[in-house]
Amino acid sequence: MNLLALDTSTDTLFVAVQRDDAIWQYSGPGSQQSSSQLLPAVRRLMQEAGLDFKQLDAVVFGRGPGSFTGLRTACAITQGLAFAAKVPVLPVDTLLAVAEEARHLHGCTEVEAVLDARMHEVYHASFRYEDGAWTAPEDFGLCAPEALQVTAGLTVAGNAQSVYPELLAPAAAHVQAMPTATAMLRLAPALLAKGCAVPAEQALPRYIRDKVAKTTAEREAEKAAAAAALPAATDHAAQ
């Protein structure tokens, strides 16, 4: 299976390319740098893998929850590449990717996945790994770190514990885990088999907050990402 996976939902940018059983991966600064760093990283990994975009079976992307600007960047790039290459997209929940990374790195099979949502809040959801597959809730939560209630036996995984070390579920076990592109590649076969792939125009973010006031810098970054990402993605995919 040939797959391109990317995530820009956090302060770290993750990209990975899979060609059959081989994987090439990259991680680097994300956040405001995602829009400028993502396409060069994608192009470099695709070249290293010896793949043309039209050889991909799907473009996999982290749909959120996460940084609003980061999610829009991921969606714009994903749509541009998928439209040009005429391949489907596979949206992956970032909290599910956190749970999978915790399983891969730490052997966790019962996970409370938690990501820093800023504004003194965290995104969270409970996952259990049984019979080779994850079971996930229909809805994800958003709360203050001190308000998070963790069921006994679940391990808290994500990037929020380092931000709220004394507030976030102090009685629970914690591990560091991020929504990496390689975690999404591991999740992809099962999700594709379940029919979760969608057309390029349906590469949409998953938001938990309904409405958040944006700073001027965030609005300008969003405009710049949207203006630059889609044409550039289309050009590179067409080459």
Side-chain angles (χ1 to χ4, degrees), residues 6 32 34-35 43 54 57-58 65 87 94 114 122 125 148 150 163 200 219:
L6 54 95
Q32 301 298 330
S34 293
S35 58
R43 190 165 60 251
K54 293 183 179 180
D57 294 296
V87 298
T94 49
V114 184
V122 295
L148 180 67
V150 180
V163 182
R219 288 194 294 269

Side-chain angles (χ1 to χ4, degrees), residues 21-79:
D21 293 330
I23 292 176
W24 291 259
Q25 59 185 306
Y26 167 84
S27 63
S31 191
Q32 301 298 330
Q33 299 184 54
S34 293
S35 58
S36 63
Q37 298 298 317
L38 180 52
L39 272 175
V42 166
R43 190 165 60 251
R44 182 168 60 253
L45 291 187
M46 289 290 289
Q47 185 175 32
E48 290 175 3
L51 279 175
D52 183 87
F53 288 95
K54 293 183 179 180
Q55 294 176 277
L56 293 171
D57 294 296
V59 180
V60 187
F61 76 102
R63 69 172 179 170
S67 158
F68 279 40
T69 301
L71 297 183
R72 285 175 167 84
T73 298
C75 289
I77 294 291
T78 297
Q79 286 185 343

Side-chain angles (χ1 to χ4, degrees), residues 180-238:
T180 66
T182 50
M184 294 177 186
L185 290 180
R186 291 191 297 273
L187 294 165
L191 293 174
L192 289 169
K194 289 171 61 176
C196 296
V198 297
E201 62 269 19
Q202 295 181 30
L204 302 174
R206 176 172 185 171
Y207 296 130
I208 305 303
R209 285 194 182 105
D210 291 330
K211 185 176 182 181
V212 175
K214 300 175 187 174
T215 66
T216 300
E218 287 173 331
R219 288 194 294 269
E220 291 304 316
E222 179 182 325
K223 290 178 183 177
L230 189 55
T234 304
D235 291 343
H236 288 304

